[in-house]
Amino acid sequence: MTKILLTGSTGYIGRRILPILLSKGYEVVCPVRVESRFDFKDFDEEEINRINVIEADLGDKEVYKSFPEDIDYAYYLVHSLTLGSGKFEEHESQIADIFKEYLDQSAIKQVIYLSGIVNDDDLSEHLRSRKKVEDILSESKVPLTVLRAGIVIGSGSASFEIIRDLVEKLPIMVAPKWVNSKCQPIGIANALEYLTGIIGNKESFNRSFDIGGSDVLTYKQMLLGFAKTRKLRRWIITVPVLTPKLSSKWLYFVTSTSYALATNLVDSLKNDAVCENNDIDNLIRIEKLDYEESLKRTLVKVKNGEIISSWKDSFQDSELKEVFLKKLEAPTYGCFKDRQELEFKNPSEKVIDNIWRIGGDRGWYYVNFLWSLRGFIDQVFGGVGLRRGRRSPTDLKRGDALDFWRVLDADKKNGRLLLYAEMKLPGEAWLEFKIENREGNNFLIQTATFRPLGLMGRLYWYAVYPFHLFIFGGMARKITNRLD
């Protein structure tokens, strides 16, 4: 059986490639930084038997010794765009160097790397980093195939989410001159067809290809095209005075993007992202989607809650440490706690469903304006705020972003959800929901845990404690009583 190494298997593209590879009969080796984050529930038993999850930090040379020796092909989907400017270029190069050393000692026949379109001379830091990784991997003895994409249009993609946020929130946009840069967007379906269709194609070895859809558009045309698809009237006024820094802040406060991602994206938008090398179309025949069709397909997925992966689930823009992903219990020593325990009469399945729908568009059930205010304050201080929302309105997986929380455990069968706060805090915070049955009676146990950092942490807890008394109590009551 052909065996494929899929790095980045819990990332935006990796999560979508994995089921396709399994459907083609491959065995897939998935190195992940935290094994507990990998979710098997979307696969049947036969597919699970063909998934080999290995806990591994690709920046550690020693972990490669645990990889199987009979791997045939490899995907390199390691990107660090959500790291701050000046950080990801060095980080990506270091990991690529280590991965190259591994390739040179392996029996792998081909490595496939998804890069960005790099046809301009004056590249942004982000695109320079992608090109440098290409150069490093090309020095390996293993044949390299590089696919270069610009904007990817798909449910949960950063590009799509930013376009949607801008168009749906702003009837009139005062935009910088980069909205006139040109791009050749590609639908996620086409991107996956290229990525999975190129496996083992010897004519693609040691070559680079640009991949895109059938349209070449300016970013302004893309925004107005989205508005047309959504039947919204929008106006865009272009001004030359918005500096890259101001543009980044503008994106950060208007959209759900992090500031680091906004900064890196704005830096890249000065470069046209139009395909020049279309030779891949001689190797792989696909029906290219235009921008409008890609949008329509994506909006259907969003409407139906069929979002397999989201850029928001990246951990690179978070201070979350691996220890918290591995430790699926909130700490007890040196912590303040708010515990709410309510007996309820509604079916436990309905209460669990309410818990699983928390956040995002539904909100936090009680005094939502205070949650929104807390999210705004978090953004002002450089935090993630509430605008990340959630990947799906009904489904939660370990590792998902949920407003300014991160899902550490999502055991729906046993009615337990554990969240870790990614907002700016003088300490660390957890929020746990748990359903218990005692002698035929159902109880919701809701526990907020805060581990303060020094005196400021303690002062913070006492300052917000009066609000917690009615916010958390009201939230627990609403969760147990809501029927819609």
Side-chain angles (χ1 to χ4, degrees):
M1 183 181 295
T2 301
K3 190 173 292 185
I4 295 180
L5 177 67
L6 179 61
T7 66
S9 60
T10 57
Y12 178 73
I13 296 293
R15 277 192 181 184
R16 293 166 185 257
I17 284 182
L18 178 55
I20 299 175
L21 297 178
L22 294 172
S23 71
K24 292 177 177 288
Y26 298 123
E27 181 178 343
V28 187
V29 179
C30 301
V32 295
R33 295 193 67 180
V34 182
E35 187 175 355
S36 63
R37 189 185 174 200
F38 194 93
D39 197 333
F40 287 96
K41 73 178 184 180
D42 293 330
F43 305 104
D44 60 35
E45 184 176 353
E46 192 275 332
E47 290 174 327
I48 291 173
N49 290 333
R50 289 189 281 116
I51 301 174
N52 180 6
V53 177
I54 300 174
E55 190 163 272
D57 179 353
L58 296 180
D60 181 358
K61 294 181 180 181
E62 295 299 313
V63 302
Y64 292 93
K65 296 178 182 178
S66 63
F67 289 11
E69 295 182 358
D70 57 344
I71 293 174
D72 297 287
Y73 304 100
Y75 281 96
Y76 192 76
L77 303 176
V78 180
H79 300 305
S80 306
L81 186 56
T82 51
L83 287 177
S85 179
K87 297 179 181 179
F88 65 84
E89 188 169 5
E90 180 182 358
H91 179 73
E92 288 190 339
S93 295
Q94 289 175 348
I95 295 179
D97 278 323
I98 294 171
F99 193 77
K100 173 194 167 295
E101 291 181 23
Y102 160 70
L103 290 175
D104 286 338
Q105 299 170 12
S106 74
I108 293 174
K109 304 169 187 174
Q110 177 193 25
V111 59
I112 300 167
Y113 174 53
L114 179 61
S115 184
I117 293 179
V118 289
N119 294 327
D120 281 2
D121 294 327
D122 182 21
L123 295 174
S124 67
E125 182 184 1
H126 157 229
L127 292 175
R128 284 200 313 270
S129 178
R130 294 285 173 92
K131 183 62 171 66
K132 188 172 183 180
V133 170
E134 288 183 27
D135 295 339
I136 292 171
L137 296 179
S138 68
E139 295 172 358
S140 165
K141 71 173 186 179
V142 177
L144 173 68
T145 300
V146 179
L147 302 186
R148 297 168 173 167
I151 294 291
V152 176
I153 303 299
S155 57
S157 77
S159 305
F160 170 77
E161 295 294 344
I162 289 172
I163 290 170
R164 181 169 68 155
D165 280 347
L166 289 173
V167 175
E168 294 188 349
K169 293 177 180 178
L170 300 176
I172 300 175
M173 283 175 258
V174 178
K177 60 184 180 180
W178 52 252
V179 294
N180 294 317
S181 297
K182 292 182 179 179
C183 179
Q184 191 165 348
I186 183 169
I188 184 64
N190 281 166
L192 295 173
E193 285 180 292
Y194 283 127
L195 283 163
T196 56
I198 205 67
I199 299 173
N201 189 315
K202 293 184 178 180
E203 292 185 49
S204 73
F205 288 5
N206 295 316
R207 296 177 67 184
S208 300
F209 306 92
D210 294 341
I211 59 174
S214 58
D215 292 328
V216 175
L217 305 167
T218 65
Y219 292 104
K220 181 177 181 179
Q221 289 173 321
M222 290 173 65
L223 291 166
L224 293 176
F226 184 94
K228 179 182 177 182
T229 301
R230 292 281 287 111
K231 296 181 172 56
L232 299 170
R233 297 187 69 184
R234 294 294 185 261
W235 292 267
I236 300 176
I237 302 171
T238 305
V239 296
V241 295
L242 283 180
T243 65
K245 187 173 183 179
L246 286 175
S247 295
S248 300
K249 289 186 179 295
W250 177 67
L251 276 184
Y252 171 59
F253 279 104
V254 173
T255 73
S256 58
T257 183
S258 67
Y259 183 67
L261 180 58
T263 301
N264 293 327
L265 285 176
V266 167
D267 187 35
S268 297
L269 291 175
K270 69 181 181 182
N271 298 118
D272 288 339
V274 179
C275 299
E276 292 183 1
N277 177 357
N278 297 304
D279 290 348
I280 194 169
D281 293 326
N282 298 324
L283 306 181
I284 301 175
R285 301 290 183 180
I286 68 169
E287 182 181 348
K288 287 191 177 184
L289 303 176
D290 61 23
Y291 177 61
E292 183 179 1
E293 180 61 25
S294 295
L295 281 180
K296 288 179 178 178
R297 291 191 180 195
T298 299
L299 289 168
V300 168
K301 295 289 186 182
V302 171
K303 182 179 180 181
N304 295 335
E306 299 172 355
I307 304 176
I308 299 173
S309 59
S310 172
W311 73 269
K312 300 171 187 176
D313 298 333
S314 168
F315 284 88
Q316 293 169 333
D317 61 348
S318 165
E319 295 179 358
L320 185 63
K321 306 300 182 183
E322 291 181 24
V323 64
F324 300 125
L325 287 172
K326 295 176 181 178
K327 184 177 176 61
L328 300 182
E329 299 288 343
T332 56
Y333 181 75
C335 296
F336 296 111
K337 289 183 180 288
D338 179 281
R339 178 183 167 93
Q340 306 286 333
E341 181 174 322
L342 275 77
E343 183 179 358
F344 61 87
K345 301 300 181 182
N346 283 330
S348 59
E349 293 80 7
K350 180 57 188 173
V351 176
I352 292 172
D353 184 62
N354 285 340
I355 295 171
W356 251 248
R357 290 173 177 264
I358 200 167
D361 292 336
R362 173 167 281 210
W364 292 83
Y365 291 103
Y366 191 67
V367 288
N368 276 319
F369 75 93
L370 288 180
W371 288 92
S372 298
L373 177 61
R374 182 64 182 88
F376 174 75
I377 293 172
D378 189 55
Q379 274 202 296
V380 169
F381 285 92
V384 295
L386 287 181
R387 288 179 175 165
R388 290 191 307 183
R390 48 182 293 159
R391 175 183 55 82
S392 163
T394 58
D395 182 46
L396 289 174
K397 296 180 180 180
R398 289 178 181 175
D400 275 1
L402 175 56
D403 290 340
F404 45 49
W405 301 89
R406 180 72 63 175
V407 178
L408 296 191
D409 192 24
D411 184 356
K412 195 170 187 178
K413 180 179 179 181
N414 294 306
R416 181 184 187 246
L417 179 66
L418 178 63
L419 308 177
Y420 176 76
E422 294 187 290
M423 67 190 87
K424 296 291 185 180
L425 288 169
E428 296 161 324
W430 292 257
L431 182 60
E432 181 182 27
F433 303 91
K434 190 175 182 180
I435 302 299
E436 291 185 2
N437 185 278
R438 304 171 191 163
E439 299 179 352
N441 299 314
N442 290 320
F443 294 84
L444 168 65
I445 313 298
Q446 176 188 287
T447 307
T449 301
F450 181 70
R451 181 159 62 187
L453 180 62
L455 178 61
M456 286 302 297
R458 286 166 172 77
L459 291 175
Y460 172 83
W461 174 262
Y462 290 121
V464 300
Y465 186 69
F467 298 98
H468 285 177
L469 285 175
F470 74 93
I471 291 175
F472 287 132
M475 182 170 65
R477 290 192 299 273
K478 291 288 186 179
I479 288 173
T480 55
N481 293 332
R482 185 160 175 167
L483 293 175
D484 63 326

